């Protein structure tokens, strides 16, 4: 029996099998993971911290809405990516900054870093970190005027340097047990997001359990940072006591929430490991030998620039193909 095929079959573009995972769901999970640190910041710093975060989020969403409307692109506020960028910018600021600082930072992140390069997934550096670097260079006085919780009550604040700033000036400083408790909970000054390491770790573990982020980046970032802190660390840390450096500053915030950005981290698993180790190494070098007491933001930005090179030489194997010695397909 002869069968004549007289009708052309049309196949749509891949993927052909769709799961329940969406960008909106992943972004909502990130917001949930950031909630403990955000709530703790409001508990410690009160209304000023809330207003900084609110200004950042509203400005980021407004910037995305205005740009997309003016450029004729679909408005994508419902994917929550702009809200996350704004919240991360707020968490990277001091609660004492003027109200216009987070607004400028959010507009810069959304319009210059994100939308002008094509929108979500097309930016080559993390928008929130790029905004923080821009603000540090443009407004250094406002960006380095920190607020410290008072030793007796979290409701009272005093101006002063961060704990990393003190260590930068006094490398022989040896932390006491009380300092670790301050870092773990809420008696340490710095950016809004640095107020509690426990809150950040809790949010990071939520992302790992939900498989929102790849575990290789935070694990190898934190692990390599600990190793390099011991090898290249300050005088007081050659004994191997690197826990203080791990908890101080924005390491946990950067490792879990910013180095793991999908658009600015490598595709292959081995590439993610190389990227994370580079972040850990640069963070230590900047902290110990650089001019800034903190190095997380600049370390991640620098490694973001190396992502295309990492992806070029460390490629995931294409399903159904064998890897050749030159990294091609067979």
């Amino acid at each position: 029996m002869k069968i004549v095929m007289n009708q052309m079959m049309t196949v749509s573009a891949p993927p052909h099998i769709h799961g329940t995972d969406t960008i909106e769901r992943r972004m909502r999970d990130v917001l949930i993971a950031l909630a403990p640190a955000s709530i703790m910041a409001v508990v410690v710093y009160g209304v000023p911290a809330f207003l900084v975060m609110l200004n950042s989020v509203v400005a980021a969403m407004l910037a995305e809405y205005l740009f997309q409307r003016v450029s004729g692109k679909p408005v994508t506020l419902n994917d929550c990516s702009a809200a996350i960028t704004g919240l991360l910018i707020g968490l990277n600021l001091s609660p004492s900054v003027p109200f216009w600082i987070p607004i400028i930072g959010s507009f810069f992140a959304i319009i210059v870093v994100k939308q002008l390069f094509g929108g979500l997934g097309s930016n080559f550096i993390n928008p929130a970190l790029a905004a923080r670097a821009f603000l540090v260079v443009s407004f250094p006085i406002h960006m380095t005027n920190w607020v410290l919780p008072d030793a007796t009550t979290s409701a009272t604040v005093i101006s002063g340097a961060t704990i990393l700033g003190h260590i930068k000036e006094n490398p022989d400083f040896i932390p006491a047990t009380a300092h670790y408790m301050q870092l773990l909970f809420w008696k340490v000054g710095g950016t809004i997001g640095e107020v509690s390491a426990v809150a950040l770790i809790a949010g990071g573990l939520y992302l790992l359990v939900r498989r929102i982020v790849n575990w290789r980046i935070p694990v190898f970032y934190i692990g390599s940072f600990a190793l390099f802190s011991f090898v290249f660390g300050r005088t007081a840390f050659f004994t191997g006591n690197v826990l203080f450096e791990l908890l101080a500053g924005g390491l946990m915030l950067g490792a879990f929430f910013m180095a793991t950005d999908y658009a600015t981290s490598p595709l292959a698993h081995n590439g993610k490991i190389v990227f994370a180790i580079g972040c850990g190494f640069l963070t230590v070098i900047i902290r110990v030998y650089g001019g800034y007491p903190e190095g997380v933001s600049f370390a991640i930005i620098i490694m973001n620039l190396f992502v295309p090179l990492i992806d070029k030489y460390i490629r995931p194997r294409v399903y159904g193909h064998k890897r050749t010695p030159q990294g091609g397909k067979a």
Side-chain angles (χ1 to χ4, degrees):
M1 182 175 62
K2 184 177 181 181
I3 300 177
V4 179
M5 299 294 293
N6 57 5
Q7 188 174 13
M8 184 73 72
M9 295 182 63
T10 302
V11 180
S12 62
H16 304 295
I17 301 176
H18 297 269
T20 58
D21 197 8
T22 62
I23 293 176
E24 291 81 3
R25 187 186 73 82
R26 285 177 172 262
M27 295 302 172
R28 284 195 295 268
D29 276 334
V30 175
L31 287 173
I32 292 172
L34 286 170
S38 303
I39 293 172
M40 188 63 72
V42 175
V43 170
V44 174
Y45 293 121
V47 176
F50 174 76
L51 291 179
V52 170
M53 291 186 288
L54 180 63
N55 283 347
S56 298
V57 173
V58 172
M61 297 179 70
L62 179 61
E64 181 146 305
Y65 173 81
L66 291 176
F67 185 91
Q68 290 177 335
R69 285 301 299 269
V70 171
S71 61
K73 296 182 178 180
V75 176
T76 58
L77 289 179
N78 61 335
D79 65 14
C80 299
S81 62
I84 290 175
T85 298
L87 183 55
L88 287 173
I89 291 172
L91 291 173
N92 273 280
L93 300 175
S94 167
S96 65
V97 297
F99 76 95
W100 45 268
I101 288 285
I103 296 176
I104 292 177
S106 293
F107 267 74
F108 178 84
I110 296 298
I111 294 178
V112 177
V113 182
K114 180 182 177 183
Q115 292 298 337
L116 289 181
F117 284 92
L120 181 63
S122 299
N123 49 285
F124 67 97
I125 57 176
N126 184 281
L129 290 179
R132 186 180 190 277
F134 169 76
L135 292 173
V136 168
V137 173
S138 303
F139 312 103
I141 296 178
H142 293 301
M143 291 296 292
T144 55
N145 184 23
W146 306 112
V147 173
L148 307 179
D150 185 79
T152 56
T153 172
S154 61
T156 305
V157 295
I158 57 175
S159 297
T162 64
I163 190 65
L164 287 177
H166 285 302
I167 297 176
K168 194 73 174 177
E169 298 173 359
N170 305 284
D172 294 326
F173 170 78
I174 299 178
T177 302
H179 292 113
Y180 291 99
M181 300 306 295
Q182 292 170 5
L183 291 171
L184 283 170
F185 297 101
W186 58 64
K187 297 295 183 181
V188 60
T191 66
I192 292 174
E194 297 173 13
V195 72
S196 173
V198 167
L200 292 171
I201 294 172
L205 291 177
Y206 174 83
L207 293 179
L208 293 177
V209 171
R210 295 281 292 173
R211 296 184 178 180
I212 302 302
V213 300
N214 189 296
W215 64 268
R216 292 168 180 82
I217 292 179
V219 168
F220 279 92
Y221 189 169
I222 296 171
S224 63
F225 176 87
L227 174 62
F228 293 127
S229 290
F230 176 74
V231 175
F232 301 105
R234 310 168 220 262
T235 303
F237 300 102
F238 275 124
T239 58
N241 185 15
V242 299
L243 179 61
F244 191 80
E245 289 271 16
L246 286 169
L247 298 176
L251 178 66
M252 297 301 169
L253 180 62
F256 285 110
F257 295 99
M258 291 181 285
T260 53
D261 180 31
Y262 299 133
T264 58
S265 58
L267 298 173
H269 291 330
N270 290 338
K272 294 181 188 296
I273 294 174
V274 172
F275 172 81
I277 292 175
C279 288
F281 174 75
L282 289 175
T283 302
V284 172
I285 295 302
I286 295 172
R287 278 192 183 186
V288 177
Y289 302 106
Y292 289 97
E294 176 62 284
V296 172
S297 297
F298 290 106
I300 296 176
I301 289 175
I302 292 171
M303 289 308 300
N304 286 161
L305 301 177
F306 280 95
V307 167
L309 188 64
I310 295 174
D311 282 338
K312 179 179 179 180
Y313 291 102
I314 305 178
R315 302 177 182 176
R317 184 176 68 86
V318 178
Y319 184 75
H321 295 270
K322 294 181 180 180
R323 192 185 302 275
T324 64
Q326 291 76 25
K329 297 182 295 182

